Amino acid sequence: MSREMSPIEKAKFVAAKQATEHVESGMKVGLGTGSTAEWFVQCLGEMAREEGLKIKGVPTSKRTGLLAQKVGIEVITLEEAKWLDVTIDGTDEYDSDLTLIKGGGGAHLREKVVATASERMIVIADASKKVEALGAFPLPVEVIPFGLPVTQGLIEETLIGMDVLGREVTLRMKGDVPFVTDEGNFILDLHLKRIANPRQLSLVINQIPGVVENGLFIDICDAVIVGHGDGRVTTRDITDNTANVVRFDVLDDDNIFADVAD
């Protein structure tokens, strides 16, 4: 089934397509979670079928793992891989320093572990994810279920001393029950509006008993590939201080788009 793509969908796809330039046969690749990362996995599957690409993928979520297997990518665990050549993942926000907020899909714990076990992390995104200051997107904090009210109270108390504009903390829900991560934990979303000092906030939050990991990715991302609705893709690499622009012709009737949306 084919369908017309929105500009945002086109932007996500061309970013994912450009990211495949960083993948070669024989690599061990971290596979991110989320809508943009799913496009990347689909592109890798197409390359495996049509070009004979052979890689081993380490998924950051059960959902990504199932998709990778479906499109023909060999899936292994991080324990089996030990070290990865590259991780390619999406983001919910990023700033000029390539500091990220991730975790909208509830997988930031695994995403951070996989990214830091990689030679490089490359983020793929549409242009709307670029922000002047992080915090408009709620900051996810993964916490253990035991003692949840205590942990939440400690986080709320800690935020009083932080340079943020908002301090609301909410438990992420899935219908009428708490959302549960692949690791069996809960997520508290911190509605901060603006984070003046992400590094300080990350360090302080992670010291609170009951907190497993927060969604701030600091000094982890090496490059960002940004897609645009007109087919343009801009790449910024902070490791060698380079930037470039390419353009793709996107056909709305390409079946890969329908597959990702299903």
Side-chain angles (χ1 to χ4, degrees), residues 120-137:
R120 281 168 57 79
M121 181 197 186
I122 299 173
V123 158
I124 49 178
D126 62 84
S128 69
K129 300 301 192 293
K130 174 70 165 65
V131 296
E132 291 300 317
L134 298 172
F137 191 90

Side-chain angles (χ1 to χ4, degrees), residues 178-242:
F179 174 89
V180 179
T181 70
D182 284 349
E183 300 300 318
N185 297 314
F186 294 163
I187 289 181
L188 293 173
D189 286 313
L190 280 52
H191 303 264
L192 307 177
K193 300 181 181 179
R194 181 186 61 82
I195 303 171
N197 192 332
R199 190 179 303 273
Q200 180 191 43
L201 179 65
S202 179
L203 289 171
V204 171
I205 291 295
N206 277 6
Q207 291 177 3
I208 295 173
V211 169
V212 182
E213 187 56 79
N214 70 78
L216 284 166
F217 282 51
I218 302 169
D219 299 332
I220 296 176
C221 178
D222 298 291
V224 60
I225 299 174
V226 180
H228 302 265
D230 61 0
R232 285 181 301 117
V233 182
T234 59
T235 300
R236 180 183 169 216
D237 193 322
I238 62 171
T239 58
D240 56 12
N241 196 31
T242 60

Side-chain angles (χ1 to χ4, degrees), residues 28-47:
K28 292 178 288 187
V29 181
L31 306 175
T33 295
S35 59
T36 312
E38 287 179 6
W39 249 295
F40 173 67
V41 173
Q42 286 278 0
C43 289
L44 291 181
E46 184 180 48
M47 292 171 67

Side-chain angles (χ1 to χ4, degrees), residues 62-63 104-106 170-182 185-187 189:
K62 294 177 181 177
R63 175 175 173 173
T170 59
L171 176 65
R172 187 177 299 186
M173 304 294 289
K174 186 175 183 179
D176 296 329
V177 298
F179 174 89
V180 179
T181 70
D182 284 349
N185 297 314
F186 294 163
I187 289 181
D189 286 313

